[in-house]
Amino acid sequence: MRSSVLSLSSARDAYSATPHVERAVASALPTRLRPADLLRLTDEGAEDVLAGRFDHLLPANGIWPADERWAARLLTDDEVDVWLISWTPGKSTELHDHAGSLGALTVLSGALSEFRWNGTELRRRILAAGDQASFPIGWVHDVMRAPAQSVAGSTSESIDPALLEPTLSVHAYSPPLTAMSYYDVTGHGTLRRTRTVLTDQPEGDM
């Protein structure tokens, strides 16, 4: 990767958790970064969070929000945004795409349920701590914190709900997010776009 793309470790003190960034809408040109680059950045981000390098961005007193999703921007430049997201029970992102941005994530702790549109139906998978996923342009999905019983069902083990606290993931988007479209599944087994919003927030507005 070109040196103009900062690593998370070198940039950890250069950026703040400012929730909104003034940025022009992304051009139609594809990003130079590949899904593998974004997966590497999310993996590095997860390692840096675990190592305490972003403790200054975390909620005060280590108390994670219990009612709404929370996010902090770990890195931003002209090519990529990297975010840490905390997930709360029962709060989904709604079915959405990332407009002209590629995406990737690494689950840091807990587990996520992803419902992905495969062209004919929604398919569900569980992403547990350490799992990664990448999202090409046109990827439509809904993401939420996985219920404890769902995680147990995927692993054939009993899961202590306390192990899902907090549920954290690191996400990267390139070009940085500028818009997202939301969808419903129709009774005819197709997707219907319901709205498009301008946003620089990850996985839907926090």
Side-chain angles (χ1 to χ4, degrees):
M1 182 176 293
R2 260 185 353 198
S3 59
S4 62
V5 179
L6 299 176
S7 73
L8 285 162
S9 296
S10 65
R12 61 181 177 267
D13 296 322
Y15 299 97
S16 70
T18 303
H20 293 278
V21 172
E22 294 298 328
R23 181 186 285 128
V25 174
S27 73
L29 294 176
T31 174
R32 178 183 60 82
L33 302 182
R34 301 165 300 164
D37 298 320
L38 300 184
L39 288 168
R40 180 176 62 79
L41 284 171
T42 61
D43 192 48
E44 289 179 358
E47 291 178 0
D48 283 351
V49 171
L50 288 173
R53 297 188 180 107
F54 290 108
D55 282 356
H56 61 289
L57 300 181
L58 303 185
N61 303 318
I63 300 174
W64 298 90
D67 298 323
E68 299 293 338
R69 284 180 296 130
W70 170 95
R73 186 182 270 114
L74 305 182
L75 167 68
T76 184
D77 62 22
D78 289 340
E79 290 189 300
V80 67
D81 263 350
V82 180
W83 291 84
L84 174 65
I85 302 177
S86 171
W87 302 81
T88 54
K91 301 289 186 180
S92 80
T93 61
E94 300 183 58
L95 198 59
H96 68 277
D97 65 23
H98 304 122
S101 298
L102 300 176
L105 69 82
T106 295
V107 180
L108 180 58
S109 59
L112 299 176
S113 291
E114 182 196 31
F115 297 86
R116 177 179 65 87
W117 180 253
N118 69 0
T120 58
E121 62 180 352
L122 290 173
R123 297 295 300 274
R124 177 177 165 224
R125 63 175 169 174
I126 299 294
L127 299 169
D131 288 344
Q132 293 188 296
S134 61
F135 315 123
I137 290 175
W139 190 276
V140 175
H141 68 170
D142 186 4
V143 182
M144 64 184 298
R145 180 172 129 160
Q149 62 269 26
S150 298
V151 180
S154 70
T155 61
S156 300
E157 299 176 359
S158 176
I159 299 295
D160 181 351
L163 297 178
L164 299 176
E165 296 290 351
T167 294
L168 302 173
S169 55
V170 176
H171 298 239
Y173 305 94
S174 183
L177 283 175
T178 56
M180 294 172 58
S181 291
Y182 291 86
Y183 299 85
D184 282 337
V185 179
T186 73
H188 303 290
T190 61
L191 282 185
R192 179 176 65 89
R193 185 168 60 190
T194 59
R195 69 191 189 278
T196 297
V197 298
L198 298 180
T199 183
D200 66 353
Q201 300 292 288
E203 298 305 311
D205 288 339
M206 293 293 108

